[in-house]
Amino acid sequence: MTRRITIIAVVAGTLGLLTFLGAAAISHLSGGGSPKPQCSNGFDDDSDGKVDYPADSGCTSKNDKSEYNAVRSIPPPPPPPPPPPGTMSWNPNVKRTPQVTTIPFIIGNKVGSCGGATEAGGGFPNHLKGTEGAVPGQPIPSEITSSIAFVQINGVRLEGTNRKLWGAGSDGDATTNASDPNRPDIGNIFMKGIHLELSRHWGTIQRSDGSIEGPFLDPYPGQTVWPAPGRLVDVQGFVRWDALHTTTNGHYCTGWEIHPVSAWRRHR
C-alpha cells in the first residue's frame, strides 16, 4: 500500500511541474510532436544567457532552428592609426610606405572551427594568397603589385613556436610566430598571433649595436635571423593568406601571415 502511494505522489508531482512550465516546456523536454524552433521556444538552448530571437545573436529569425552562432566572434579591434610622419620602408628594395597596424586588425575577429581567424574577417582584403611556390625566395619585390597590403606592426612579441632557421628545409625561409602583448583582453593567442616568414631573398636585420645588415639577396644558411622568444620587435612585410595552414596549431589555425617579411628591427 505504501509503495502505491509513493508512485501516485511522484506522478502527481511530475504533472504539476509540467503544468507549471507550460506546453512549450513539455514539447521541449519530451522531444515528441512538433517542437518549436530553438529561436522561439522560450529556452536558452546554447547556454549563452540569451533566449530566442532577437535577443540571441545566433538567431536570424523566430524560425531559426538553432541558437548557436554559425561563426563565433570577439569584439573587433580599433582601426589602425594613420602612419606617423616619416614612416618609410626599411628595406631599400621595397619602395612603399607601410600601413601601421596591429595583428588583431590584420586577422580580424571572425573565429573558424579550429579556433583561429578566418580569411573573411581580415582587415586587409588586398592580400597575397597561397604559398610562395616551388622557387625559393619568390616573389621578389618587383613581382608584388602596389595593391597588395604592405604593413608595419610595432612591438610584437616573438614566440618560441613554429621556428625555423634560415636555410633549413626546402624553401630556405626563416620563420617564427609573434603575438600582440598589448591585448590581454583577448585570451586566445590564436586571435592575437600571426606567423612571420622571412623569405630567403628578403630582409634586413638590426644588430644589437643598432647597425643594419641587409637586405639579404642570397641565402645565409647559418643565420638564425630572429631574436630569442620574448623579445619585442617591429616588423614590416606583406599580408598573406595561406589556406594550407587553417587546421594547424603551429600556424594558430589560420592562413594569415606576414610573408614575406621585408625587414624587422628591435622595438623602439
Side-chain angles (χ1 to χ4, degrees), residues 74-81 98-111 116-128 148-156 178-180 183 186 190-196 234-242 251-252 254-261:
I74 59 176
Q99 294 176 265
V100 180
T101 185
T102 64
I103 294 175
F105 185 84
I106 292 171
I107 69 176
N109 69 323
K110 300 299 183 183
V111 188
T118 67
E119 183 179 12
F124 291 98
N126 52 328
H127 53 264
L128 292 167
I148 298 299
F150 177 58
V151 299
Q152 176 177 326
I153 319 172
N154 295 325
V156 300
S179 64
D180 188 339
R183 294 300 301 270
I186 303 177
F190 285 15
M191 296 304 294
K192 60 180 177 181
I194 199 166
H195 182 63
L196 304 178
D234 304 333
V235 175
Q236 290 183 347
F238 294 88
V239 180
R240 179 186 294 270
W241 174 266
D242 186 347
H251 280 260
Y252 298 141
T254 185
W256 289 116
E257 304 175 343
I258 302 300
H259 178 194
V261 170

Side-chain angles (χ1 to χ4, degrees), residues 32-50:
S34 300
K36 289 185 176 181
Q38 288 189 4
C39 289
S40 57
N41 65 2
F43 287 88
D44 182 10
D45 295 273
D46 58 356
S47 302
D48 64 353
K50 300 175 183 179

Side-chain angles (χ1 to χ4, degrees), residues 164-176:
K164 187 177 67 174
L165 301 182
W166 203 326
S170 60
D171 58 9
D173 298 342
T175 66
T176 187

